[in-house]
Amino acid sequence: MLHRRADQLLIERTRQIRRGLTGTPLIPLADERCDIVAKLEFCNPAGSTKDRSALWILEQAIRRGEIAPDTTVVESSSGNFALALAFYCRMLGISFVPVIDPNCNEATEAQLRLLCGRVEKVSLRDTAGSYLKTRLSRVQELLVELDSAYWPNQYANPDARDAHYRFTAGELIEQAGPLDYLFVGVGTGGTIAGLSHRIKETYPGCVVVAVDTEGSVIFGGPPKKRRIPGIGSSIVPPLCGQALIDQVEIVSEARAVEACDALVAKYGLYAGGSTGSTYAAVQDYFARHRPGAHRPRVAFIAADRGHAYARTVYDPAWVQQLRAEAAEPAGVEALAVN
């Protein structure tokens, strides 16, 4: 009886948190070629679009009985999803162990160590030159080690997709009106899978453009060292295969840095690296495909804020090193998706 009561209290707490949430803003960005609007997902409580999937995954797992008050949540993350889970698990009184890597920003790691009693940090690169496979291996070890553990598996969990279908896309449709283009950065695939389905249900002619980074293997590119977290992957996440994608834009990390600087200089938006990548894709796409008489209505997802990137993307010394280490010059290439 006491166990059942504790479970019911946990369910009620998730409902209270959900009722207290509001949507994120949509703001217009002045542009000569297009009517551009940015969905400021970094205005979510934990600071990124990962709030959507983190809370919904926890809600659904609690409802199904997969998470109880004594459960420890364990997840691999480059930063944003870990922060969102840490925030909501702390509010719910649930233990959370994030598995991070050296690409996790210093500020993010420091915040995680404040919120979590235990933080696992891997240090070995995987065969793709990244850390994702190493993190996932450590997650599997922890699931065996801990008495009662739950793995959200943001890379394949349909609840991650459904969160963006229900909430992010629902808000965007209400706020933006008819859309001609939607640009979304891709990492785990949940955001673009959920958004693309609902947007195309409402606006069938909308062109969905997936934005990835050089060195990511999601869309078949060669793997190489990546430094900016929050976008790209060294595996092909199952959720990506569920997305309705028309075009893919591959953006170099150097170009993402330039776009972050442009967002600050032109609009005062202090955004993270994945947001810079997505904005760069918008600008470079329409530089190559100049609109005609019709000004297209273009939306892009501003996935995270820039505070965690103060010592990387916004640090001139770090940027100089990034450019010096880059194997190829900054640029963007477009791929058609059949």
Side-chain angles (χ1 to χ4, degrees), residues 22-35:
T22 57
T24 59
L26 187 80
I27 64 166
L29 304 184
D31 187 84
E32 294 179 355
R33 296 178 294 238
C34 311
D35 290 329

Side-chain angles (χ1 to χ4, degrees), residues 8-245:
Q8 288 300 317
L9 288 174
L10 196 55
I11 291 172
E12 179 54 33
R13 183 60 181 148
T14 63
R15 291 172 178 164
Q16 291 173 350
I17 294 171
R18 174 64 64 191
R19 287 195 295 267
L21 295 178
T22 57
T24 59
L26 187 80
I27 64 166
L29 304 184
D31 187 84
E32 294 179 355
R33 296 178 294 238
C34 311
D35 290 329
I36 300 178
V37 291
K39 179 73 168 154
L40 303 189
E41 285 294 284
F42 57 66
C43 291
N44 280 306
S48 80
T49 191
K50 294 295 186 179
D51 280 56
R52 310 287 193 164
S53 49
L55 180 57
W56 187 246
I57 285 173
L58 292 174
E59 285 183 78
Q60 296 307 298
I62 290 168
R63 182 185 61 81
R64 291 190 294 261
E66 297 167 355
I67 293 178
D70 62 346
T71 301
T72 298
V73 176
V74 181
E75 181 61 294
S76 154
S77 172
S78 61
N80 287 328
F81 193 60
L83 279 179
L85 281 175
F87 174 73
Y88 291 110
C89 283
R90 175 57 65 120
M91 292 194 73
L92 292 167
I94 300 170
S95 297
F96 171 53
V97 178
V99 180
I100 61 172
D101 63 55
N103 280 342
C104 183
N105 296 304
E106 288 183 19
T108 298
E109 182 175 345
Q111 188 173 348
L112 286 172
R113 294 190 183 278
L114 283 174
L115 292 171
C116 307
R118 178 178 179 181
V119 175
E120 293 281 326
K121 187 174 183 179
V122 304
S123 58
L124 296 177
R125 291 188 181 273
D126 56 32
T127 54
S130 186
Y131 299 97
L132 175 55
K133 295 177 183 178
T134 310
R135 294 200 318 256
L136 291 174
S137 294
R138 184 58 184 141
V139 167
Q140 296 306 310
E141 293 170 354
L142 290 169
L143 293 176
V144 174
E145 173 188 326
L146 297 169
D147 291 335
S148 175
Y150 172 78
W151 178 32
N153 190 6
Q154 61 169 324
Y155 313 96
N157 192 328
D159 291 332
R161 173 203 63 211
D162 294 347
H164 294 288
Y165 180 94
R166 293 169 64 97
F167 303 110
T168 320
E171 289 177 20
L172 182 59
I173 290 166
E174 182 178 349
Q175 294 168 324
L179 291 174
D180 298 303
Y181 292 86
L182 173 64
F183 287 72
V184 185
V186 178
T188 61
T191 305
I192 196 165
L195 275 165
S196 63
H197 275 270
R198 188 156 182 185
I199 290 296
K200 282 185 171 292
E201 286 173 6
T202 308
Y203 308 123
C206 181
V207 176
V208 174
V209 182
V211 181
D212 200 7
T213 183
E214 287 183 357
S216 169
V217 306
I218 294 175
F219 297 104
K224 72 175 185 179
K225 179 180 177 181
R226 291 178 287 113
R227 304 159 188 82
I228 298 176
I231 189 169
S233 178
S234 56
I235 64 171
V236 180
L239 289 177
C240 283
Q242 301 176 27
L244 303 177
I245 297 171

Side-chain angles (χ1 to χ4, degrees), residues 27-30 38 40 42-43 259-272 275 279 300 302 304-307 314:
I27 64 166
L29 304 184
L40 303 189
F42 57 66
C43 291
C260 284
D261 290 339
L263 284 169
V264 171
K266 294 176 68 175
Y267 311 112
L269 289 179
Y270 189 42
T275 302
Y279 179 66
F300 76 94
D304 61 350
R305 60 170 68 104
H307 298 77
Y314 293 98

Side-chain angles (χ1 to χ4, degrees), residues 212-215 224-228 231 250-262 273 276-277 280 284 312-314 318-332:
D212 200 7
T213 183
E214 287 183 357
K224 72 175 185 179
K225 179 180 177 181
R226 291 178 287 113
R227 304 159 188 82
I228 298 176
I231 189 169
I250 308 297
V251 180
S252 74
E253 292 188 318
R255 181 72 183 98
V257 169
E258 293 174 359
C260 284
D261 290 339
S277 297
D284 295 340
T312 56
V313 169
Y314 293 98
W318 186 91
V319 173
Q320 184 178 9
Q321 183 179 3
L322 169 73
R323 288 172 175 153
E325 293 179 356
E328 299 176 1
V332 179

